[in-house]
Amino acid sequence: MASVSVKQQFDLSANDLWDLIGDFGDMSKWTGLPPETCVQEGEGVGCLRTLTVPRGTIVDRLEAQTDNSYTYCVVNTAESPLPYKSYRATMTVEPVTTATSQLVWSGEFEPDGISEAEACAAAENMYKMGIGMMLATLAKR
């Protein structure tokens, strides 16, 4: 399995950052995208969220959740536009000081149709794009 981890520090307390990104089924809070692009079915561990992106649909299942992290996996890898046979990721918020925090977004995956280096680059770019959306959302506040 290949893996990637991206870290980003934020000028927000860990609680405030988690309030922004910690709702598995409401990515619109931090992406700035319309709420209908992320639809959750069910509650808690085992629930599904369907993400509609320009190249298709991604269905994630919530695998684990704590007070400051969640782990999810893609369950429709055969139909997903992502280049992976399997994919599992975790988003974790860690306090740095009382006023700052760090997001760690990491993933493990098995490439599908591309090299491991290309798969790692794709995941890293996806995480950085998501973090860019978070930063843009915060800049509008």
Side-chain angles (χ1 to χ4, degrees):
M1 283 254 180
S3 64
V4 165
S5 184
V6 173
K7 297 177 182 180
Q8 176 69 44
Q9 190 163 327
F10 288 84
D11 291 329
L12 288 173
S13 70
N15 285 339
D16 289 344
L17 181 57
W18 191 246
D19 284 344
L20 177 68
I21 68 167
D23 186 345
F24 178 74
D26 187 3
M27 293 174 60
S28 68
K29 284 183 181 177
W30 58 268
T31 62
L33 298 173
E36 61 271 12
T37 61
C38 179
V39 177
Q40 180 173 319
E41 297 175 44
E43 294 292 326
V45 172
C47 73
L48 301 176
R49 72 175 175 199
T50 300
L51 309 173
T52 303
V53 297
R55 295 186 340 229
T57 301
I58 303 165
V59 180
D60 297 329
R61 181 178 51 240
L62 183 62
E63 296 285 302
Q65 189 167 22
T66 70
D67 289 342
N68 66 337
S69 71
Y70 63 73
T71 299
Y72 61 96
C73 68
V74 175
V75 296
N76 70 328
T77 54
E79 299 85 27
S80 167
L82 299 176
Y84 309 113
K85 291 180 186 175
S86 65
Y87 177 89
R88 180 182 172 110
T90 300
M91 296 177 78
T92 303
V93 172
E94 302 169 340
V96 176
T97 68
T98 57
T100 61
S101 56
Q102 175 177 261
L103 169 66
V104 180
W105 196 345
S106 58
E108 297 179 335
F109 39 83
E110 184 180 351
D112 185 16
I114 61 175
S115 70
E116 185 170 307
E118 291 169 317
C120 289
E124 185 173 338
N125 289 336
M126 179 172 53
Y127 300 160
K128 287 180 177 179
M129 182 178 72
I131 289 168
M133 291 173 155
M134 292 171 200
L135 294 168
T137 296
L138 291 169
K140 293 177 186 176
R141 289 184 168 183

